[in-house]
Amino acid sequence: MATARESSKVNLDFLVHDLGLHQERNTKVFRKGKFFIISPSVQNKNHLFEVGESIMELFETEEQEGYLLIRFKEEFLMAKLKSFDKKMMIPDTKSTSTKLPPHWKFKVIEATNPYIINMGDSDLRYPIQNPSKNQLIQFFNTES
């Protein structure tokens, strides 16, 4: 069974080498020019991931083009971060505890058209794109 540390590295080389993204320290945050990418690795059997409030505070919506780029098994799922934030990261669904800073919990639902649900309110659902690696390479390596 893979450890959390190993699972967080799944497809990391693709993000860095093929897409040319730069990882901030050892976080889910990647940058390249105007791009701000949050890229959690979802390798657990429940398909769960979290996004911390502190990570979202780094996203400058007016200056940056933000994306959620989930490394889901050997695939990628992608959404525009601004619209995902607006619909899925509402204050009432934020998890808080004494052990972890405030964050949101999500689950990837595998389907013909995959989507994400907010674990704080399962009625909150967000359709997500499933681009190929070639589409991602083309998208993130296009000069703007």
Side-chain angles (χ1 to χ4, degrees), residues 40 42-43 47 70-77 108 110:
V42 179
Q43 309 302 324
H47 303 161
I70 302 167
R71 293 172 280 146
F72 184 65
K73 300 178 181 179
E74 290 301 316
E75 299 179 32
F76 291 90
L77 303 173
V108 174
E110 286 185 278

Side-chain angles (χ1 to χ4, degrees), residues 2 10-11 13 15 17 46 50 79 81 91 100-101 105 108 115 123:
V10 171
N11 279 320
D13 59 334
L15 297 179
H17 299 296
N46 297 322
E50 299 173 353
L81 190 54
L100 294 172
K105 294 180 181 182
V108 174
Y115 60 96
D123 289 334

Side-chain angles (χ1 to χ4, degrees), residues 4 14 22 38 55 75 77 80 89 98 100 133 139-140:
F14 177 77
H22 304 284
I38 297 175
I55 286 179
E75 299 179 32
L77 303 173
K80 288 189 175 184
M89 298 174 143
T98 56
L100 294 172
K133 286 186 175 184
F139 181 78
F140 284 106

Side-chain angles (χ1 to χ4, degrees), residues 79-134:
K80 288 189 175 184
L81 190 54
K82 194 172 185 176
S83 62
F84 184 83
D85 177 28
K86 187 175 182 176
K87 181 174 181 180
M88 300 295 285
M89 298 174 143
I90 57 174
D92 294 347
T93 64
K94 195 183 319 174
S95 293
T96 55
S97 72
T98 56
K99 294 180 182 179
L100 294 172
H103 61 283
W104 291 269
K105 294 180 181 182
F106 302 101
K107 181 175 185 172
V108 174
I109 304 299
E110 286 185 278
T112 304
N113 297 312
Y115 60 96
I116 295 172
I117 61 171
N118 182 313
M119 296 302 288
D121 179 351
S122 60
D123 289 334
L124 290 176
R125 296 165 183 253
Y126 195 90
I128 193 156
Q129 298 175 3
N130 186 5
S132 69
K133 286 186 175 184
N134 285 337

